[in-house]
Amino acid sequence: MKIDTNTMFSMTQANQNFSAVARSVDKNGEAVVLKNNRPKYLVVDIDNGDFILDLTEDERIDIVAKRILEKYLPAFKELAK
């Protein structure tokens, strides 16, 4: 996924002026919100279903791995003992 720097907003900007984020999403299809200077949230237009297809295979794997880790973290911690 390519990120256009014109569609990046700090958390403070997004909190104070979410309408600017929404306008950016309307114009570009997505916007990225940064937390601690790192991409944290992706705001997308849900009417545009293509956004998930733009992910690379590695990005998809990362998403699935994160979901599995969060869901089963207590079990993984128990197994690690």
Side-chain angles (χ1 to χ4, degrees):
M1 172 176 45
K2 294 180 182 177
I3 299 174
D4 180 2
T5 56
N6 295 322
T7 64
M8 297 173 77
F9 298 86
S10 70
M11 182 68 77
T12 302
Q13 289 173 308
N15 281 331
Q16 293 176 350
N17 192 3
F18 188 76
S19 60
V21 177
R23 281 191 303 274
S24 178
V25 172
D26 288 340
K27 181 179 177 185
N28 302 299
E30 65 186 31
V32 176
V33 179
L34 305 172
K35 184 173 184 180
N36 297 326
N37 294 322
R38 298 185 67 185
K40 179 70 174 174
Y41 302 104
L42 177 64
V43 183
V44 296
D45 179 355
I46 60 172
D47 289 335
N48 178 4
D50 297 338
F51 67 90
I52 197 72
L53 300 176
D54 284 345
L55 298 176
T56 67
E57 188 66 26
D58 287 342
E59 289 169 326
R60 291 181 197 169
I61 291 170
D62 287 344
I63 290 169
V64 172
K66 183 177 179 182
R67 286 182 187 165
I68 291 170
L69 183 60
E70 288 174 352
K71 184 174 182 179
Y72 297 107
L73 185 58
F76 289 133
K77 285 182 176 180
E78 188 64 30
L79 289 171
K81 290 182 182 178

